Amino acid sequence: MILANILFCDQDDLGQILEVNRASPYPWSERIITRDLLVGDTRLSYIGAFASAGKEKLLGYAVLGDEKGNGLLMNLAVLPAHRRRGFGTQLTVAAAECARDMGFSALALRVRLSNFAALALYGSLGFKIGATLENFYSNGDAAQYMSAKLPLVIAEEMWE
Ligand SMILES: CC(C)(COP(=O)(O)OP(=O)(O)OC[C@H]1O[C@@H](n2cnc3c(N)ncnc32)[C@H](O)[C@@H]1OP(=O)(O)O)[C@@H](O)C(=O)NCCC(=O)NCCS
């Protein structure tokens, strides 16, 4: 597995984050992302996976927040050309470590019930399936709630 350079993002990374967001089938509002990064919403951490030691090429990012005393993985996206290389996994693990550093004992998330790629990724990292939330998204899609105790327990072969 190629390891990405995982770094916190700031306003200088806004353009690259918007680019990755636009390539996602589930893009967030650009207005919200811009506000988060330019105003500096301290409740949210944007965590980037960069291709090299610098920040020239953003491959993907995760957004970590909190809800009801747990860490909440609010978003995760990887550029289409760089998927299936472990970067989504690395970002999720980094978000989990960040949540642990913040004192959370669990990391939760919601994912579309139809999003088999993301469901498989989270399942492979030990996230347990919780409630199904019907009509959760604005288009009527259902969400699957998932959560994992921290630290994540990662199978050694995952890093080979
Ligand atoms: C979901 C997403 C972030 C995964 O990123 P990624 O970098 O491709 O993920 P990884 O390479 O770490 O994949 C880890 C595992 O997840 C599963 N997985 C990932 N993509 C998959 C796919 N398209 N089909 C089936 N399983 C998939 C596999 O088990 C994979 O392990 P493997 O490649 O050894 O088989 C990426 O597909 C994406 O950006 N999708 C659009 C946005 C999105 O759905 N975000 C999730 C919001 S909750």
Side-chain angles (χ1 to χ4, degrees):
M1 181 189 287
I2 296 170
L3 290 179
N5 189 26
I6 306 279
L7 297 169
F8 285 111
C9 296
D10 58 28
Q11 54 186 8
D12 294 339
D13 307 309
L14 176 61
Q16 295 205 75
I17 287 179
L18 292 178
E19 191 186 321
V20 177
N21 181 57
R22 278 181 209 126
S24 169
Y26 319 111
W28 271 17
S29 145
E30 295 200 1
R31 189 177 54 79
I32 289 176
I33 296 176
T34 303
R35 185 203 59 196
D36 289 347
L37 284 159
L38 294 189
V39 176
D41 186 337
T42 50
R43 294 164 308 163
L44 299 183
S45 304
Y46 279 69
I47 300 166
F50 293 87
S52 59
K55 282 180 141 187
E56 287 80 30
K57 179 70 184 167
L58 182 71
L59 305 170
Y61 68 94
V63 183
L64 175 68
D66 70 282
E67 182 180 66
K68 295 181 187 161
N70 285 331
L72 184 69
L73 184 61
M74 299 179 68
N75 201 2
L76 175 70
V78 172
L79 279 175
H82 296 279
R83 289 181 190 159
R84 297 307 287 270
R85 296 181 190 174
F87 299 127
T89 300
Q90 292 172 48
L91 281 164
T92 306
V93 170
E97 278 304 290
C98 188
R100 197 155 75 107
D101 285 350
M102 291 167 157
F104 296 119
S105 56
L107 180 63
L109 60 90
R110 297 183 199 86
V111 52
R112 276 180 170 76
L113 205 51
S114 56
N115 191 345
F116 298 114
L119 284 163
L121 187 163
Y122 300 134
S124 72
L125 287 173
F127 282 79
K128 305 282 183 237
I129 288 179
T132 301
L133 311 164
E134 300 295 343
N135 291 310
F136 182 78
Y137 296 101
S138 54
N139 67 349
D141 280 1
Q144 181 67 66
Y145 184 87
M146 300 181 87
S147 66
K149 291 216 172 87
L150 299 176
L152 298 181
V153 179
I154 316 251
E156 257 181 48
E157 61 268 21
M158 194 166 263
W159 301 116
E160 285 168 2

